[in-house]
Amino acid sequence: MKEIFGMGTSAADHDVDTDSTRTGNSDTDLLVKAVSGDSVDRDGGAHQPRSIAIRLSTVVVASVIAALVAGICTLAVLYTGVKGDLADRDSRTADAGRAQEVATDYAVGASTIDYRDTKTWFDELKANTTPQLAAKFDATSPQLEQILLPLQWTSKAAPITAVVISEANGVYKVNVFLNVTSTSVQTPDGVQTTVTYSLTVDRNADWKITDVGGLDGALPVK
């Protein structure tokens, strides 16, 4: 009866079970490949890992740009340093020129004398000097006047040049050279001499003159 009604296991049933087992194994393999990170196609086949391709020309261009940027930065730093150095040099030159100008103006004024107007000369002696130095000239003005009046002294000065001898912390030592033409009762036709002033100019004191040397060279010998 079993053979008639097919109660035994047939070849067809065996094939179905085998196909089912094969299908289950394929699904497991597919899952494993997906988990492992391999590229999987719809048929269950694994591909090689993906890679990114960069053109050589892109690398070269990037390198050139980086080099240009570095070069520009270097030039900017050098330019800033040079600009600062030039600014410092220009500032020092301007300050030295100012000291020479202040000293020259003073020397010319101090060497311009007229015995008929000694007050103006005394004012020139004290012009742009510190209070301490001005006080010294106030104290000596009577003696100076006693020298000028009897001789009827007059003099005029023309600058030759001025030289900064030294500078320290804004204090300038300046030599000023003048041509001085003077007249007196002894030399009515006039005499020309070269006079050298040694002046100290202090930038920190608003360019005031703190010391005067050489003034006696512009005055008559009594």
Side-chain angles (χ1 to χ4, degrees), residues 43 84 101 137 174 205:
D43 296 332
E101 180 182 3
F137 286 126
V174 184

Side-chain angles (χ1 to χ4, degrees), residues 117-142:
D117 186 10
T118 56
K119 181 182 182 302
T120 297
W121 179 58
F122 292 144
D123 289 341
E124 291 292 338
L125 288 179
K126 297 184 293 183
N128 199 44
T129 61
T130 60
Q132 296 83 356
L133 185 57
K136 291 181 180 180
F137 286 126
D138 283 335
T140 59
S141 60

Side-chain angles (χ1 to χ4, degrees), residues 4-85:
I4 296 174
F5 292 100
M7 297 295 294
T9 300
S10 66
D13 293 337
H14 181 73
D15 292 339
V16 170
D17 292 340
T18 302
D19 292 340
S20 176
T21 300
R22 185 183 300 113
T23 301
N25 291 339
S26 298
D27 292 340
T28 301
D29 293 342
L30 182 62
L31 179 59
V32 170
K33 292 176 181 178
V35 171
S36 66
D38 292 340
S39 177
V40 181
D41 60 13
R42 298 180 65 87
D43 296 332
H47 295 296
Q48 294 295 327
R50 295 180 180 178
S51 61
I52 300 175
I54 301 177
R55 292 183 178 180
L56 180 59
S57 59
T58 302
V59 175
V60 172
V61 171
S63 299
V64 170
I65 292 175
L68 288 174
V69 171
I72 291 173
C73 292
T74 301
L75 289 175
V77 172
L78 292 174
Y79 173 76
T80 302
V82 171
K83 186 177 180 181
D85 292 340

